[in-house]
Amino acid sequence: MSDFNAKVIEEFRANEGKVGGMFEGSNLVLLTTTGAKSGRQVTSPVMYLPDGERIVIIASNAGADHHPAWYHNLSAHPEATVELGTETFAAKSEEISGSERDELYARMVAVAPGFAEYEARTSRRIPVLALHRS
């Protein structure tokens, strides 16, 4: 895990899900997945979009030309643990496609304009996933 992620995770857990810096005021969860190859538990801070009973996350990887590790982990093992504020719960991921994917991505861009830059920065189709409480 990067030092940056480690600091965000520590701050998130120490402040009931609130962090400063580049994520200040953002909807942020800690997503713990099972490594696709290693089988180890890996925690990543991820921005999310509330959508009814589910949480929507976007595998933007800041516009890199490859998916983030957590996306590959969820593809191999769709079960995850989500920390949202002071709550921790099990969730199952589902990849969203078609017009629903496009609409959810546009909603994320509306609240976090950086996601438009991420999409412009890469030629890959950025995956959108929904997390459902298990």
Short mmCIF file of all heavy atoms in Angstrom, two decimals, residues 1-50:
data_model
loop_
_atom_site.label_atom_id
_atom_site.label_comp_id
_atom_site.label_asym_id
_atom_site.label_seq_id
_atom_site.Cartn_x
_atom_site.Cartn_y
_atom_site.Cartn_z
N MET A 1 0.86 -1.18 0.00
CA MET A 1 0.00 0.00 0.00
C MET A 1 0.90 1.24 0.00
O MET A 1 1.91 1.28 0.66
CB MET A 1 -0.89 -0.03 1.24
CG MET A 1 -1.67 1.23 1.45
SD MET A 1 -2.61 1.38 3.00
CE MET A 1 -2.81 -0.25 3.60
N SER A 2 0.48 2.24 -0.74
CA SER A 2 1.28 3.47 -0.79
C SER A 2 1.19 4.22 0.53
O SER A 2 0.23 4.05 1.29
CB SER A 2 0.78 4.37 -1.93
OG SER A 2 -0.45 4.97 -1.58
N ASP A 3 2.20 5.03 0.80
CA ASP A 3 2.17 5.87 2.00
C ASP A 3 0.97 6.80 1.97
O ASP A 3 0.35 7.07 2.99
CB ASP A 3 3.46 6.70 2.11
CG ASP A 3 4.65 5.86 2.55
OD1 ASP A 3 4.45 4.73 3.03
OD2 ASP A 3 5.79 6.34 2.41
N PHE A 4 0.66 7.31 0.76
CA PHE A 4 -0.49 8.22 0.62
C PHE A 4 -1.76 7.53 1.08
O PHE A 4 -2.51 8.06 1.91
CB PHE A 4 -0.62 8.70 -0.84
CG PHE A 4 -1.85 9.54 -1.06
CD1 PHE A 4 -1.85 10.88 -0.70
CD2 PHE A 4 -2.99 8.99 -1.62
CE1 PHE A 4 -2.99 11.66 -0.89
CE2 PHE A 4 -4.13 9.76 -1.81
CZ PHE A 4 -4.13 11.10 -1.45
N ASN A 5 -2.03 6.33 0.54
CA ASN A 5 -3.24 5.59 0.93
C ASN A 5 -3.24 5.27 2.41
O ASN A 5 -4.27 5.39 3.08
CB ASN A 5 -3.39 4.31 0.12
CG ASN A 5 -4.00 4.54 -1.25
OD1 ASN A 5 -4.35 5.67 -1.61
ND2 ASN A 5 -4.10 3.49 -2.03
N ALA A 6 -2.08 4.89 2.95
CA ALA A 6 -1.99 4.56 4.38
C ALA A 6 -2.38 5.76 5.24
O ALA A 6 -3.10 5.62 6.23
CB ALA A 6 -0.59 4.08 4.72
N LYS A 7 -1.94 6.95 4.85
CA LYS A 7 -2.27 8.16 5.61
C LYS A 7 -3.75 8.49 5.51
O LYS A 7 -4.38 8.88 6.50
CB LYS A 7 -1.43 9.34 5.13
CG LYS A 7 0.02 9.23 5.57
CD LYS A 7 0.87 10.36 5.03
CE LYS A 7 2.32 10.15 5.46
NZ LYS A 7 3.24 11.01 4.76
N VAL A 8 -4.34 8.34 4.32
CA VAL A 8 -5.77 8.59 4.14
C VAL A 8 -6.58 7.60 4.98
O VAL A 8 -7.53 7.99 5.67
CB VAL A 8 -6.17 8.52 2.65
CG1 VAL A 8 -7.69 8.59 2.49
CG2 VAL A 8 -5.51 9.64 1.85
N ILE A 9 -6.20 6.34 4.96
CA ILE A 9 -6.91 5.31 5.73
C ILE A 9 -6.82 5.61 7.23
O ILE A 9 -7.83 5.55 7.94
CB ILE A 9 -6.35 3.91 5.40
CG1 ILE A 9 -6.73 3.54 3.97
CG2 ILE A 9 -6.83 2.87 6.40
CD1 ILE A 9 -5.95 2.36 3.40
N GLU A 10 -5.64 5.97 7.70
CA GLU A 10 -5.46 6.30 9.12
C GLU A 10 -6.32 7.50 9.51
O GLU A 10 -7.01 7.48 10.54
CB GLU A 10 -3.99 6.59 9.39
CG GLU A 10 -3.69 6.91 10.84
CD GLU A 10 -2.22 7.24 11.07
OE1 GLU A 10 -1.38 7.03 10.17
OE2 GLU A 10 -1.92 7.72 12.18
N GLU A 11 -6.32 8.54 8.68
CA GLU A 11 -7.11 9.74 8.97
C GLU A 11 -8.61 9.41 8.95
O GLU A 11 -9.37 9.86 9.81
CB GLU A 11 -6.79 10.84 7.95
CG GLU A 11 -7.46 12.15 8.26
CD GLU A 11 -7.11 13.25 7.26
OE1 GLU A 11 -6.32 13.01 6.32
OE2 GLU A 11 -7.65 14.36 7.42
N PHE A 12 -9.05 8.63 7.98
CA PHE A 12 -10.45 8.22 7.85
C PHE A 12 -10.91 7.53 9.13
O PHE A 12 -11.94 7.87 9.71
CB PHE A 12 -10.59 7.28 6.65
CG PHE A 12 -11.98 6.82 6.34
CD1 PHE A 12 -12.72 7.40 5.33
CD2 PHE A 12 -12.56 5.75 7.05
CE1 PHE A 12 -14.00 6.96 5.03
CE2 PHE A 12 -13.84 5.31 6.76
CZ PHE A 12 -14.57 5.92 5.75
N ARG A 13 -10.12 6.56 9.59
CA ARG A 13 -10.51 5.78 10.77
C ARG A 13 -10.43 6.60 12.05
O ARG A 13 -11.20 6.38 12.98
CB ARG A 13 -9.64 4.54 10.87
CG ARG A 13 -9.99 3.52 9.79
CD ARG A 13 -9.11 2.31 9.81
NE ARG A 13 -9.60 1.27 8.89
CZ ARG A 13 -8.83 0.34 8.37
NH1 ARG A 13 -7.54 0.27 8.70
NH2 ARG A 13 -9.33 -0.55 7.54
N ALA A 14 -9.53 7.57 12.11
CA ALA A 14 -9.37 8.39 13.31
C ALA A 14 -10.45 9.47 13.41
O ALA A 14 -10.71 9.99 14.49
CB ALA A 14 -7.98 9.04 13.33
N ASN A 15 -11.07 9.83 12.28
CA ASN A 15 -12.01 10.96 12.24
C ASN A 15 -13.40 10.58 11.74
O ASN A 15 -14.07 11.37 11.07
CB ASN A 15 -11.43 12.08 11.36
CG ASN A 15 -10.17 12.65 11.94
OD1 ASN A 15 -10.17 13.23 13.01
ND2 ASN A 15 -9.06 12.44 11.24
N GLU A 16 -13.83 9.36 12.06
CA GLU A 16 -15.18 8.89 11.74
C GLU A 16 -15.52 9.07 10.27
O GLU A 16 -16.62 9.49 9.90
CB GLU A 16 -16.21 9.59 12.63
CG GLU A 16 -15.96 9.32 14.10
CD GLU A 16 -16.98 9.97 15.01
OE1 GLU A 16 -17.61 10.96 14.61
OE2 GLU A 16 -17.12 9.47 16.13
N GLY A 17 -14.56 8.77 9.40
CA GLY A 17 -14.81 8.79 7.97
C GLY A 17 -14.56 10.11 7.28
O GLY A 17 -14.79 10.24 6.08
N LYS A 18 -14.06 11.09 8.00
CA LYS A 18 -13.78 12.40 7.39
C LYS A 18 -12.27 12.55 7.20
O LYS A 18 -11.49 12.17 8.06
CB LYS A 18 -14.32 13.51 8.28
CG LYS A 18 -15.84 13.51 8.37
CD LYS A 18 -16.33 14.67 9.21
CE LYS A 18 -17.83 14.75 9.30
NZ LYS A 18 -18.58 13.53 9.31
N VAL A 19 -11.91 13.11 6.05
CA VAL A 19 -10.50 13.35 5.75
C VAL A 19 -10.33 14.74 5.15
O VAL A 19 -11.28 15.32 4.63
CB VAL A 19 -9.91 12.28 4.79
CG1 VAL A 19 -9.94 10.90 5.42
CG2 VAL A 19 -10.62 12.28 3.46
N GLY A 20 -9.12 15.24 5.21
CA GLY A 20 -8.81 16.53 4.61
C GLY A 20 -8.07 16.35 3.30
O GLY A 20 -8.18 15.31 2.65
N GLY A 21 -7.31 17.35 2.94
CA GLY A 21 -6.51 17.26 1.71
C GLY A 21 -7.38 17.18 0.48
O GLY A 21 -8.48 17.73 0.43
N MET A 22 -6.91 16.45 -0.51
CA MET A 22 -7.61 16.38 -1.79
C MET A 22 -8.98 15.71 -1.70
O MET A 22 -9.82 15.90 -2.57
CB MET A 22 -6.75 15.68 -2.84
CG MET A 22 -6.52 14.21 -2.57
SD MET A 22 -5.44 13.43 -3.79
CE MET A 22 -6.50 13.39 -5.22
N PHE A 23 -9.23 14.94 -0.64
CA PHE A 23 -10.52 14.28 -0.48
C PHE A 23 -11.47 15.04 0.46
O PHE A 23 -12.57 14.57 0.72
CB PHE A 23 -10.34 12.85 0.06
CG PHE A 23 -9.69 11.92 -0.92
CD1 PHE A 23 -8.49 11.32 -0.63
CD2 PHE A 23 -10.30 11.63 -2.13
CE1 PHE A 23 -7.89 10.44 -1.52
CE2 PHE A 23 -9.71 10.77 -3.04
CZ PHE A 23 -8.50 10.17 -2.74
N GLU A 24 -11.07 16.19 0.95
CA GLU A 24 -11.91 16.93 1.90
C GLU A 24 -13.27 17.22 1.27
O GLU A 24 -13.37 17.71 0.15
CB GLU A 24 -11.24 18.24 2.32
CG GLU A 24 -12.01 18.94 3.41
CD GLU A 24 -11.22 20.07 4.06
OE1 GLU A 24 -10.08 20.31 3.66
OE2 GLU A 24 -11.78 20.68 4.98
N GLY A 25 -14.33 16.89 2.01
CA GLY A 25 -15.69 17.13 1.54
C GLY A 25 -16.21 16.09 0.56
O GLY A 25 -17.36 16.15 0.14
N SER A 26 -15.37 15.13 0.18
CA SER A 26 -15.78 14.09 -0.77
C SER A 26 -16.45 12.94 -0.05
O SER A 26 -16.19 12.69 1.12
CB SER A 26 -14.56 13.53 -1.51
OG SER A 26 -13.90 14.52 -2.24
N ASN A 27 -17.29 12.22 -0.78
CA ASN A 27 -17.84 10.97 -0.28
C ASN A 27 -16.76 9.91 -0.45
O ASN A 27 -16.38 9.59 -1.58
CB ASN A 27 -19.08 10.55 -1.07
CG ASN A 27 -20.27 11.43 -0.77
OD1 ASN A 27 -20.41 11.95 0.33
ND2 ASN A 27 -21.15 11.59 -1.74
N LEU A 28 -16.27 9.40 0.67
CA LEU A 28 -15.16 8.47 0.63
C LEU A 28 -15.49 7.24 1.47
O LEU A 28 -16.05 7.38 2.56
CB LEU A 28 -13.90 9.15 1.19
CG LEU A 28 -12.57 8.48 0.94
CD1 LEU A 28 -12.20 8.55 -0.54
CD2 LEU A 28 -11.48 9.17 1.76
N VAL A 29 -15.17 6.06 0.94
CA VAL A 29 -15.27 4.82 1.70
C VAL A 29 -13.91 4.15 1.70
O VAL A 29 -13.06 4.44 0.85
CB VAL A 29 -16.31 3.83 1.11
CG1 VAL A 29 -17.71 4.35 1.23
CG2 VAL A 29 -15.98 3.43 -0.32
N LEU A 30 -13.73 3.27 2.65
CA LEU A 30 -12.58 2.37 2.62
C LEU A 30 -13.11 1.03 2.12
O LEU A 30 -14.07 0.49 2.67
CB LEU A 30 -11.95 2.21 4.00
CG LEU A 30 -11.38 3.49 4.61
CD1 LEU A 30 -10.69 3.17 5.94
CD2 LEU A 30 -10.43 4.21 3.67
N LEU A 31 -12.51 0.56 1.05
CA LEU A 31 -12.92 -0.67 0.40
C LEU A 31 -11.85 -1.73 0.64
O LEU A 31 -10.70 -1.54 0.24
CB LEU A 31 -13.08 -0.40 -1.11
CG LEU A 31 -13.47 -1.57 -1.99
CD1 LEU A 31 -14.90 -2.02 -1.67
CD2 LEU A 31 -13.35 -1.17 -3.46
N THR A 32 -12.22 -2.82 1.31
CA THR A 32 -11.28 -3.90 1.55
C THR A 32 -11.67 -5.07 0.66
O THR A 32 -12.79 -5.60 0.75
CB THR A 32 -11.25 -4.31 3.03
OG1 THR A 32 -10.87 -3.17 3.81
CG2 THR A 32 -10.24 -5.42 3.27
N THR A 33 -10.74 -5.43 -0.23
CA THR A 33 -10.96 -6.51 -1.19
C THR A 33 -9.96 -7.63 -0.93
O THR A 33 -8.99 -7.45 -0.21
CB THR A 33 -10.77 -5.99 -2.63
OG1 THR A 33 -9.46 -5.45 -2.77
CG2 THR A 33 -11.80 -4.91 -2.97
N THR A 34 -10.22 -8.77 -1.55
CA THR A 34 -9.31 -9.90 -1.47
C THR A 34 -8.47 -9.89 -2.75
O THR A 34 -9.03 -9.87 -3.86
CB THR A 34 -10.09 -11.22 -1.36
OG1 THR A 34 -10.90 -11.16 -0.19
CG2 THR A 34 -9.15 -12.41 -1.27
N GLY A 35 -7.16 -9.90 -2.59
CA GLY A 35 -6.26 -9.84 -3.73
C GLY A 35 -6.54 -10.94 -4.74
O GLY A 35 -6.67 -12.11 -4.37
N ALA A 36 -6.64 -10.57 -6.03
CA ALA A 36 -6.95 -11.52 -7.09
C ALA A 36 -5.90 -12.62 -7.17
O ALA A 36 -6.22 -13.79 -7.39
CB ALA A 36 -7.07 -10.80 -8.43
N LYS A 37 -4.64 -12.25 -6.99
CA LYS A 37 -3.55 -13.23 -7.08
C LYS A 37 -3.04 -13.63 -5.69
O LYS A 37 -2.79 -14.80 -5.43
CB LYS A 37 -2.39 -12.66 -7.90
CG LYS A 37 -2.75 -12.45 -9.36
CD LYS A 37 -1.61 -11.85 -10.12
CE LYS A 37 -2.02 -11.55 -11.56
NZ LYS A 37 -1.05 -10.72 -12.24
N SER A 38 -2.89 -12.63 -4.81
CA SER A 38 -2.27 -12.90 -3.50
C SER A 38 -3.22 -13.52 -2.49
O SER A 38 -2.79 -14.21 -1.57
CB SER A 38 -1.73 -11.59 -2.91
OG SER A 38 -2.82 -10.75 -2.51
N GLY A 39 -4.52 -13.23 -2.62
CA GLY A 39 -5.49 -13.69 -1.63
C GLY A 39 -5.47 -12.88 -0.35
O GLY A 39 -6.22 -13.15 0.58
N ARG A 40 -4.59 -11.85 -0.29
CA ARG A 40 -4.49 -11.00 0.91
C ARG A 40 -5.59 -9.94 0.91
O ARG A 40 -6.07 -9.53 -0.13
CB ARG A 40 -3.14 -10.29 0.95
CG ARG A 40 -1.97 -11.19 1.24
CD ARG A 40 -0.70 -10.40 1.24
NE ARG A 40 -0.72 -9.55 0.04
CZ ARG A 40 0.17 -8.63 -0.26
NH1 ARG A 40 1.14 -8.36 0.53
NH2 ARG A 40 0.07 -7.93 -1.37
N GLN A 41 -5.93 -9.48 2.10
CA GLN A 41 -6.89 -8.39 2.25
C GLN A 41 -6.17 -7.06 1.97
O GLN A 41 -5.11 -6.81 2.55
CB GLN A 41 -7.47 -8.37 3.66
CG GLN A 41 -8.28 -9.62 3.99
CD GLN A 41 -9.55 -9.71 3.16
OE1 GLN A 41 -10.46 -8.93 3.33
NE2 GLN A 41 -9.59 -10.66 2.24
N VAL A 42 -6.75 -6.25 1.09
CA VAL A 42 -6.16 -4.97 0.70
C VAL A 42 -7.21 -3.89 0.87
O VAL A 42 -8.34 -4.03 0.37
CB VAL A 42 -5.68 -5.01 -0.77
CG1 VAL A 42 -5.02 -3.70 -1.14
CG2 VAL A 42 -4.77 -6.19 -1.02
N THR A 43 -6.86 -2.80 1.56
CA THR A 43 -7.79 -1.70 1.78
C THR A 43 -7.38 -0.50 0.94
O THR A 43 -6.22 -0.12 0.92
CB THR A 43 -7.84 -1.32 3.28
OG1 THR A 43 -8.24 -2.49 4.02
CG2 THR A 43 -8.83 -0.20 3.54
N SER A 44 -8.38 0.10 0.27
CA SER A 44 -8.15 1.27 -0.58
C SER A 44 -9.19 2.33 -0.29
O SER A 44 -10.38 2.02 -0.18
CB SER A 44 -8.29 0.88 -2.06
OG SER A 44 -7.46 -0.21 -2.39
N PRO A 45 -8.79 3.61 -0.19
CA PRO A 45 -9.78 4.68 -0.12
C PRO A 45 -10.35 4.91 -1.52
O PRO A 45 -9.60 4.97 -2.50
CB PRO A 45 -8.97 5.89 0.35
CG PRO A 45 -7.53 5.56 0.10
CD PRO A 45 -7.41 4.09 -0.09
N VAL A 46 -11.68 4.98 -1.61
CA VAL A 46 -12.34 5.12 -2.91
C VAL A 46 -13.49 6.12 -2.77
O VAL A 46 -14.29 6.02 -1.84
CB VAL A 46 -12.90 3.75 -3.38
CG1 VAL A 46 -13.60 3.87 -4.72
CG2 VAL A 46 -11.81 2.70 -3.45
N MET A 47 -13.58 7.06 -3.72
CA MET A 47 -14.73 7.96 -3.73
C MET A 47 -15.95 7.17 -4.18
O MET A 47 -15.84 6.22 -4.95
CB MET A 47 -14.48 9.13 -4.68
CG MET A 47 -13.48 10.12 -4.13
SD MET A 47 -13.23 11.55 -5.22
CE MET A 47 -14.85 12.31 -5.17
N TYR A 48 -17.12 7.58 -3.67
CA TYR A 48 -18.34 6.87 -4.04
C TYR A 48 -19.47 7.85 -4.31
O TYR A 48 -19.43 9.03 -3.94
CB TYR A 48 -18.76 5.88 -2.94
CG TYR A 48 -19.38 6.52 -1.72
CD1 TYR A 48 -20.76 6.67 -1.63
CD2 TYR A 48 -18.60 6.99 -0.68
CE1 TYR A 48 -21.34 7.28 -0.50
CE2 TYR A 48 -19.16 7.59 0.44
CZ TYR A 48 -20.53 7.72 0.51
OH TYR A 48 -21.10 8.33 1.61
N LEU A 49 -20.50 7.31 -4.95
CA LEU A 49 -21.72 8.04 -5.25
C LEU A 49 -22.86 7.28 -4.59
O LEU A 49 -23.07 6.10 -4.89
CB LEU A 49 -21.92 8.07 -6.77
CG LEU A 49 -23.13 8.80 -7.32
CD1 LEU A 49 -22.98 10.31 -7.12
CD2 LEU A 49 -23.26 8.49 -8.81
N PRO A 50 -23.60 7.92 -3.67
CA PRO A 50 -24.74 7.22 -3.08
C PRO A 50 -25.82 7.04 -4.16
O PRO A 50 -26.05 7.94 -4.96
CB PRO A 50 -25.23 8.15 -1.97
CG PRO A 50 -24.46 9.41 -2.08
CD PRO A 50 -23.43 9.27 -3.14
#
